[in-house]
Amino acid sequence: MFDHPSHVGKSGAVRSLNLTPTSYLVLGLLGAMGPSTSYDLKRAVSRSIGEFWSFPHSQLYAEPARLAAAGLLEERREERGRRRRLWSVTDAGREALESWLAEPSAAVTEIRDLGLLKLFFGGQTTPDRVTTLAEVNAEFHRRRTADYEALHAHLAARGIDPYERATLELGLRYERTAVAFWEEMAAWGPEGQG
Amino acid sequence: MFDHPSHVGKSGAVRSLNLTPTSYLVLGLLGAMGPSTSYDLKRAVSRSIGEFWSFPHSQLYAEPARLAAAGLLEERREERGRRRRLWSVTDAGREALESWLAEPSAAVTEIRDLGLLKLFFGGQTTPDRVTTLAEVNAEFHRRRTADYEALHAHLAARGIDPYERATLELGLRYERTAVAFWEEMAAWGPEGQG
DNA sequence: TTCGCCATGTAATAGGTTACATGATTGC
DNA sequence: GCAATCATGTAACCTATTACATGGCGAA
């Protein structure tokens, strides 16, 4: 690609980039899991935070390269077989992660829900369509709630990291909130919403 | 579905583009508000859906141009003064909006919360830092809850569109859920989380 | 009349999304 | 031995984000 120093070393060839959520995800996962491939990252994401914050696998392949260019990760290739790329956190990377974790900045939660956007424009369609929307969404979130609970139980069996469990817990609680909300919406429609 | 109406331009210069959430936001707002400037859109977003789904103003300036290129919007410029650009929905645009509203597709809700991402990696920092994180977030969401309630009351006074109110309602409920969650997290830390 | 904020945009870039593509495994 | 799925990437496009920049208007 471009000729970087053999091992990020003395040249300070560390291009400073601004770290995105994806960056911290990768840093944190590698910090917790040790040297891993992008596919390992993908799997780790899938049944945890990825439940409600999607990180496409293509990014989990692309982001490590960026972080490595910045000196926060190191790459090692398998000698034989597939010669897969294994990523691990450097001291600089660990430092970046720790300082990020240390500042407890609270930021606005983004909730992006297409169904909710449709509801927002409910006045521009017929009430029965809104009711259908509400019913479909209620069912959808009920199903998701059930999935979460199964997942939760499954993970509880194998002693999962408590922080990871807590994270899923909020996801679950959100789903329950959504179920209640959409069910009310569905009931609200038919009887004339004054 | 498409082979749009003739008047959209004999040239057929209607490049088909895939419509993003931003597209539907703009279409829906213009549908509800009538001809408006991008600044009008910005204001309409700010105290409503924009509370939990951020749409930077630069997009509210850029997106209408895209939609107009696709034949879904029409542009009119003021004759004098600032010569601002006023956007309005064409028949094709209205049709696109309606068919979108008609299909009640349920999709996964994205919840993007930096604090939650930090919590996810709680095992890589000290318990007291996690507790601080929880406290800061609890306070943050308490404050946001209060803001929502004030906003809600304020808008209830002026008879706001019930669907718009409902949308805000879910935002509010999410905030309450978050408050409870972070408060529990804050209390959970000190006493040893086995 | 000057300062400051509201209003109205544009530019640049990087990050994200959606495909595409192909090598390895595993099951049948 | 073949099909299906898992694993591992790359490419292209484009949206979104972050700055920058300026004009108008209101208040003091």
Side-chain angles (χ1 to χ4, degrees):
Chain A
M1 190 174 280
F2 17 69
D3 60 331
H4 30 244
S6 45
H7 47 68
V8 183
K10 52 279 170 179
S11 66
V14 179
R15 195 193 47 177
S16 115
L17 76 184
N18 49 345
L19 299 175
T20 67
T22 306
S23 310
Y24 290 114
L25 175 73
V26 169
L27 280 172
L29 286 174
L30 288 175
M33 299 162 55
S36 313
T37 68
S38 286
Y39 188 73
D40 296 331
L41 298 178
K42 179 193 164 176
R43 263 191 340 205
V45 166
S46 69
R47 300 273 85 187
S48 60
I49 188 124
E51 287 285 334
F52 49 83
W53 187 339
S54 75
F55 296 94
H57 85 275
S58 69
Q59 280 199 227
L60 300 180
Y61 280 88
E63 184 66 22
R66 247 178 266 159
L67 294 175
L72 305 182
L73 294 187
E74 252 175 11
E75 177 183 3
R76 195 160 31 106
R77 265 192 189 264
E78 286 180 341
E79 290 298 329
R80 27 198 63 275
R82 306 197 190 187
R83 300 182 39 71
R84 294 178 300 176
R85 307 208 265 176
L86 284 170
W87 305 100
S88 52
V89 183
T90 64
D91 288 343
R94 221 172 317 275
E95 198 180 314
L97 176 63
E98 272 162 21
S99 74
W100 178 69
L101 284 173
E103 36 150 326
S105 60
V108 171
T109 303
E110 290 262 335
I111 301 177
R112 304 185 177 187
D113 184 323
L114 266 303
L116 202 57
L117 188 58
K118 284 184 185 178
L119 179 65
F120 187 64
F121 295 124
Q124 292 179 72
T125 187
T126 60
D128 63 298
R129 282 203 208 281
V130 176
T131 300
T132 302
L133 174 69
E135 284 166 352
V136 168
N137 275 274
E139 172 58 18
F140 181 79
H141 287 282
R142 268 196 299 269
R143 205 169 283 267
R144 257 181 86 66
T145 300
D147 290 349
Y148 260 114
E149 280 162 351
L151 175 61
H152 209 276
H154 174 74
L155 294 180
R158 331 170 148 273
I160 191 187
D161 175 297
Y163 294 106
E164 204 166 321
R165 180 165 54 225
T167 303
L168 279 176
E169 173 76 17
L170 183 57
L172 172 56
R173 291 193 191 184
Y174 171 77
E175 289 301 329
R176 290 197 186 121
T177 302
V179 169
F181 174 78
W182 287 111
E183 284 180 347
E184 285 175 41
M185 278 299 119
W188 178 57
E191 20 189 280
Q193 60 277 24
Chain B
M1 180 176 273
F2 18 69
D3 81 312
H4 342 64
S6 49
H7 77 272
V8 171
K10 45 279 171 180
S11 63
V14 180
R15 197 192 47 178
S16 119
L17 76 182
N18 49 345
L19 299 176
T20 68
T22 306
S23 310
Y24 291 113
L25 176 73
V26 169
L27 280 173
L29 286 175
L30 289 175
M33 298 162 56
S36 312
T37 69
S38 287
Y39 187 73
D40 295 332
L41 298 178
K42 177 191 165 179
R43 262 190 340 204
V45 165
S46 70
R47 301 273 86 189
S48 61
I49 189 124
E51 286 285 334
F52 49 84
W53 188 340
S54 75
F55 296 94
H57 84 274
S58 68
Q59 282 200 224
L60 301 180
Y61 280 90
E63 184 66 23
R66 249 178 265 158
L67 293 175
L72 305 182
L73 294 187
E74 253 176 12
E75 177 182 2
R76 196 161 30 108
R77 266 193 188 267
E78 286 179 344
E79 290 298 329
R80 24 199 66 272
R82 306 197 188 186
R83 298 181 41 72
R84 294 178 299 176
R85 309 207 265 174
L86 283 171
W87 305 98
S88 52
V89 184
T90 64
D91 288 342
R94 220 173 319 272
E95 195 181 318
L97 176 63
E98 272 163 23
S99 72
W100 178 70
L101 284 174
E103 37 150 326
S105 60
V108 172
T109 303
E110 291 262 334
I111 301 177
R112 305 187 176 183
D113 184 324
L114 266 305
L116 202 57
L117 187 58
K118 284 185 184 177
L119 178 66
F120 187 65
F121 295 125
Q124 294 180 69
T125 188
T126 59
D128 64 297
R129 282 204 208 282
V130 176
T131 300
T132 302
L133 173 69
E135 283 166 355
V136 168
N137 275 274
E139 171 59 18
F140 182 78
H141 287 283
R142 267 195 298 270
R143 205 169 284 267
R144 256 181 87 65
T145 300
D147 289 350
Y148 260 113
E149 279 162 352
L151 174 60
H152 210 277
H154 174 73
L155 294 180
R158 331 168 147 273
I160 190 187
D161 174 296
Y163 294 106
E164 202 165 324
R165 180 163 58 225
T167 304
L168 279 175
E169 173 77 18
L170 182 57
L172 172 57
R173 290 192 191 185
Y174 171 78
E175 289 301 329
R176 290 198 186 120
T177 302
V179 168
F181 174 79
W182 288 111
E183 284 180 348
E184 284 175 41
M185 279 297 118
W188 178 56
E191 22 189 275
Q193 60 278 27

